[in-house]
């Protein structure tokens, strides 16, 4: 994957004669331009971080990113939570949903992708085409009947409606990602395993699965971050503050009109994006390469 | 599961070494195994269950529900086309939501893709730091879909907020964009464009696939920067442009979180941020008019399908696939 960027970038124009004085100036200008655009782009994130430690009365109007004094009380108020429930509860709920979704997607999408990429069965073409079509399907078309089903099963208000669909490979994006990846693996490996007496199950377990690791990592990271950020389905299915996830808890702040809530609100906002930022810093290469090779949504 | 463990259980042994030398002639690959549909469907069983129970079944059910009056608690009552008729004939809020969503898609998608392409072209140099910059530009795409950033936008564009203060120093006192029906939608459009990093990364990958020979040939022919962009870069990139256009359009139609958070769930002021999905949620899950909401969902699917078909249908005219004789 790294050879992709290294090998191809050498061909791009605009970097000839790196030693020439004009080129050096152009390079500096290029860096300056990009850093300028980046500063503007990342200002809202920096503003969020700065605001979360500002005293409440400075939050809205003050343009300065630096507070007149630090206000750690925002964070202690955020840790106390909202509606009488501590933030760790929301954090744990978000974590359960996200990890459940990750496990579900990893297992179900890998199994389905192996069948689509390597096994022969009559309906393979039509079924795979159907999978690709469902990428375009708006969630709202299946939402109401799904809700009715979960309502009848008395599961609305639990995490099941948020996790079960992932266990059933409904995230067509990741099936597609893994199919593409498996198709890129040399068939000779399968053949060798076959000669050694492996059936499809063992071939999947000992040949495909270990090689699939990069695609699995990409799937896990994206599933985690998207589920962590997801708001709509959690809003629909979770109705008891005890089962609220972080996005739903943050939303409770909207209804509080007093400005005194702003400090804790932004402190909790920061807490909610910390896992995403950590994932991003740790796995940014996987994320960016994953999106570049498979064209996932952002 | 039982069948497969029986056939393979006797073979449990250490993982096979890949590409074991076995003396088989290269062309004669054994194909005696892969033709067993039973095992294929075993691997597919979670997918099949999901496709039937959570996709196809619910799709057909919501199509049926769209012709009924259904409130979740009593059984659906057939009303024919009434829901659809009422949507267009006497539901001003629906028409407003359709208009707001159309504007959002029409403005935010082209701007987002233009920003993505511009920055991708800028970044497409062999220089130190390119990888770092690429990741940094991508970061908003990961953060921006969450509630936290939507709250930031709400606070920055409120009355006497950061943006209001800045424009105020130039004598333009807006009273907060989110309180102004004329500007509120642009708060959401700016938030969407801010997340141009995802299509940018895809553009960048596409740019790197363009053969250098084409640029060399253009340079030999004395082609200027703009001409080279028009005649080499754009045609070579057009399949990626189509891909990004389809994907971003589909996503823009379904945007929900920013409008919900910025407008406090109501789509105000004066319906100016009433996204289609917001109104659908309101009908379905606040008022429990689920037949009506199902009709809205199917209209959305229809519109998305038509637009996607249009993109692909016209693509023969503007998308260039290399290797094609055109």
């Amino acid at each position: 994957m790294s050879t992709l960027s290294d090998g191809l970038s050498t061909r791009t124009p605009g970097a000839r004669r790196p030693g020439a004085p004009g080129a050096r100036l152009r390079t500096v200008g290029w860096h300056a331009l990009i850093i300028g655009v980046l500063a503007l782009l990342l200002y809202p994130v920096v503003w969020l971080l700065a605001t979360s430690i500002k005293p409440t009365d400075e939050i809205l109007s003050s343009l300065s990113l630096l507070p007149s004094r630090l206000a750690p009380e925002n964070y202690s108020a955020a840790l106390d939570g909202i509606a009488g429930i501590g933030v760790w509860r929301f954090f744990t709920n978000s974590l359960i949903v996200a990890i459940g979704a990750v496990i579900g997607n990893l297992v179900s999408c890998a199994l389905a992708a192996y069948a689509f990429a390597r096994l022969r069965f009559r309906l393979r073409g039509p079924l795979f085409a159907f999978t690709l079509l469902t990428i375009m399907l708006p969630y709202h078309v299946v939402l109401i009947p799904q809700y009715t089903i979960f309502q009848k099963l008395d599961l609305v208000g639990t995490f099941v409606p948020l996790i079960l669909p992932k266990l059933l490979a409904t995230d067509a994006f990741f099936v597609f990602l893994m199919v593409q990846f498996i198709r890129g693996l040399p068939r000779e490996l399968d053949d060798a395993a076959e000669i050694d007496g492996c059936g499809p199950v063992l071939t999947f377990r000992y040949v495909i699965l270990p090689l699939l690791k990069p695609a699995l990592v990409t799937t896990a990271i994206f599933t985690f971050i998207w589920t962590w950020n997801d708001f709509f389905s959690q809003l629909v299915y979770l109705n008891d503050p005890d089962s609220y996830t972080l996005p739903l808890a943050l939303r409770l702040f909207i209804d509080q009109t007093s400005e005194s809530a702003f400090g804790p609100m932004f402190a909790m906002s920061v807490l909610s994006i910390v896992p995403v930022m950590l994932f991003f810093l740790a796995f940014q290469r996987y994320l960016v390469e994953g999106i570049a090779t498979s064209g996932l949504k952002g | 599961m039982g069948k497969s463990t029986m056939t393979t259980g006797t073979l449990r042994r250490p993982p096979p070494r890949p590409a074991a030398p076995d003396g088989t002639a290269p062309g004669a690959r054994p194909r005696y195994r892969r033709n067993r549909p039973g095992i294929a469907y075993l691997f597919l069983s979670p997918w099949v269950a999901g496709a039937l129970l959570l996709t196809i079944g619910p799709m057909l059910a919501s199509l049926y529900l769209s012709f009924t009056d259904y409130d979740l608690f009593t059984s659906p009552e057939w009303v024919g086309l009434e829901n659809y008729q009422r949507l267009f004939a006497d539901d001003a809020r629906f028409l407003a939501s359709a208009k707001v969503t159309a504007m959002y898609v029409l403005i935010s998608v082209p701007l987002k893709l233009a920003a993505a392409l511009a920055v991708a072209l800028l970044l497409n140099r062999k220089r130190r730091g390119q990888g770092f910059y690429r990741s940094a530009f991508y970061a908003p795409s990961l953060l921006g879909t969450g509630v936290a950033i939507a709250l930031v936008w709400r606070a920055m564009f409120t009355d006497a907020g950061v943006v209001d203060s800045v424009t105020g120093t130039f004598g333009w006192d807006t009273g907060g964009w989110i309180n102004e029906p004329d500007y509120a939608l642009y708060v959401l459009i700016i938030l969407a464009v801010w997340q141009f990093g995802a299509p940018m990364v895809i553009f960048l990958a596409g740019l790197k696939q363009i053969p250098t020979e084409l640029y060399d040939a253009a340079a030999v022919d004395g082609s200027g920067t703009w001409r080279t962009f028009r005649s080499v870069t754009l045609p070579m990139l057009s399949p990626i442009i189509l891909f990004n256009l389809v994907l971003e359009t589909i996503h823009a139609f379904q945007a929900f979180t920013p409008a919900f958070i910025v407008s406090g769930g109501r789509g105000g002021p004066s319906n100016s941020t009433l996204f289609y999905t917001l109104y659908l949620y309101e009908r379905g899950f606040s008022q429990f008019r689920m037949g009506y909401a199902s009709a809205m969902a199917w209209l959305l699917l229809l519109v998305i399908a038509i637009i996607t078909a249009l993109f692909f249908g016209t693509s023969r005219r503007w998308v260039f696939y290399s290797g094609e004789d055109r």
Side-chain angles (χ1 to χ4, degrees), chain A residues 143-154:
Chain A
L143 172 69
I144 286 166
Q146 279 189 14
Y147 186 88
T148 309
I149 294 170
F150 288 122
Q151 161 86 16
K152 294 252 153 70
L153 295 172
D154 212 15

Side-chain angles (χ1 to χ4, degrees), chain B residues 279-291:
Chain B
Y279 187 50
L280 193 157
Y281 173 79
E282 180 185 304
R283 281 292 186 176
F285 293 91
S286 304
Q287 304 169 357
F288 290 102
R289 307 248 339 244
M290 296 206 155

Side-chain angles (χ1 to χ4, degrees), chain B residues 109-166:
Chain B
V109 173
L111 284 181
K112 188 177 186 179
L113 293 186
L117 183 55
V119 177
L121 288 169
L122 182 66
L123 277 185
N124 190 30
R125 309 278 148 89
K126 188 207 164 198
R127 293 213 174 118
R128 193 183 288 269
Q130 194 221 32
F132 168 79
Y133 291 140
R134 187 177 62 162
S135 294
F137 277 109
Y138 180 61
S141 292
L142 285 182
L143 297 172
T145 54
V147 170
I149 292 296
L151 286 171
V152 170
W153 246 252
R154 185 179 152 91
M156 290 209 314
F157 286 92
T158 191
D159 189 18
V162 174
V163 174
D164 200 25
S165 308
V166 172

